[in-house]
Amino acid sequence: FSFVYVRDLEPAGPASISGMVSKGDQLCELIPISEGAQPVNLLGASFDTVMGSFASLEKTVKDLDLVFFKGTKDELKAACEGGEAGEKKELITVTVIQDKGSPKEKVVKLQAPPGVNIRELLVENEINVYQSVTRWTNCKGKQLCGTCIVNITEGLGNTNWKSMDEASTLRENPESYRLSCVAFAYEDVTVETFPPVNADQWTR
């Protein structure tokens, strides 16, 4: 869950001189200053998503506002959830559908803390996310092989944003398809393993 934050400030730059932005502030929203332009929600977005949002602005946009949260990532997440950083969170439910549509179809409900990595949770509970020989030849969750594909059938909005790399790997497949190694669940989700992939999917 790659919140983008202010890593540093140019000492003599306008942001530093204004005192309105500080090192560590969390980027939340981009607001183009242009007639009819809509704010872009960047809360919890990956670095690739943020850069893509800047790159996709209309050429007519000359100025924009950036909305920051003053505090740490944990403090921002707690604020969004109506709590305080450090307080104990309730567990979420990850419902896993295995071998959907086959005689061996099985549904398993797993409890986990918010922010759990889906691949790690499934593997720890001996649920295979790989097909064929990739069960033994995969990259072990390093986002190199693109073979741990799952389908988030419910609660897609409760997961982190896709990076440009992940979206490219899963091209020509439904938006709900995710690489489980880089997918994190923050509220209840339903996950289908071994979803049918498009014929041109290079990872199969």
Side-chain angles (χ1 to χ4, degrees):
F1 206 58
S2 303
F3 285 81
V4 173
Y5 65 96
V6 178
R7 185 173 182 178
D8 211 342
L9 293 170
E10 183 67 33
S16 180
I17 294 174
S18 73
M20 298 178 66
V21 182
S22 304
K23 184 177 178 179
D25 288 355
Q26 308 289 318
L27 180 59
C28 298
E29 192 174 50
L30 181 160
I31 307 175
I33 307 302
S34 178
E35 185 176 353
Q38 297 296 315
V40 180
N41 179 17
L42 298 175
L43 185 63
S46 67
F47 180 80
D48 285 347
T49 299
V50 172
M51 292 299 100
S53 297
F54 280 103
S56 62
L57 290 172
E58 296 291 338
K59 293 182 178 180
T60 55
V61 176
K62 302 299 182 182
D63 299 290
L64 54 84
D65 286 335
L66 296 177
V67 178
F68 292 94
F69 173 86
K70 288 190 173 296
T72 66
K73 178 174 70 174
D74 289 339
E75 289 171 337
L76 174 56
K77 289 166 64 177
C80 292
E81 295 166 0
E84 295 183 3
E87 72 176 352
K88 190 174 181 180
K89 306 280 193 312
E90 293 185 2
L91 297 178
I92 65 171
T93 299
V94 177
T95 302
V96 185
I97 305 174
Q98 301 172 260
D99 300 309
K100 184 177 181 180
S102 78
K104 296 181 180 180
E105 181 174 328
K106 181 180 179 181
V107 177
V108 178
K109 291 185 179 292
L110 305 173
Q111 299 290 302
V116 66
N117 177 268
I118 292 176
R119 176 192 175 277
E120 290 181 2
L121 178 65
L122 270 56
V123 170
E124 287 173 0
N125 286 273
E126 300 184 346
I127 297 175
N128 181 31
V129 295
Y130 301 100
Q131 298 189 38
S132 185
V133 296
T134 59
R135 184 171 186 177
W136 297 277
T137 61
N138 65 80
C139 69
K140 309 300 181 185
K142 297 181 177 63
Q143 200 189 352
L144 298 174
C145 65
T147 59
C148 59
I149 300 173
V150 296
N151 183 18
I152 310 295
T153 58
E154 294 182 23
L156 181 62
N158 297 333
T159 63
N160 58 312
W161 294 46
K162 281 182 183 176
S163 68
M164 294 176 67
D165 285 343
E166 182 185 5
S168 176
T169 299
L170 296 173
R171 61 193 180 280
E172 304 302 326
N173 284 293
E175 184 63 27
S176 58
Y177 280 33
R178 299 297 307 269
L179 296 180
S180 60
C181 65
V182 290
F184 297 83
Y186 291 87
E187 293 184 32
D188 295 351
V189 295
T190 298
V191 178
E192 176 191 337
T193 61
F194 300 169
V197 296
N198 191 281
D200 66 359
Q201 177 64 38
W202 66 270
T203 58
R204 286 290 186 266

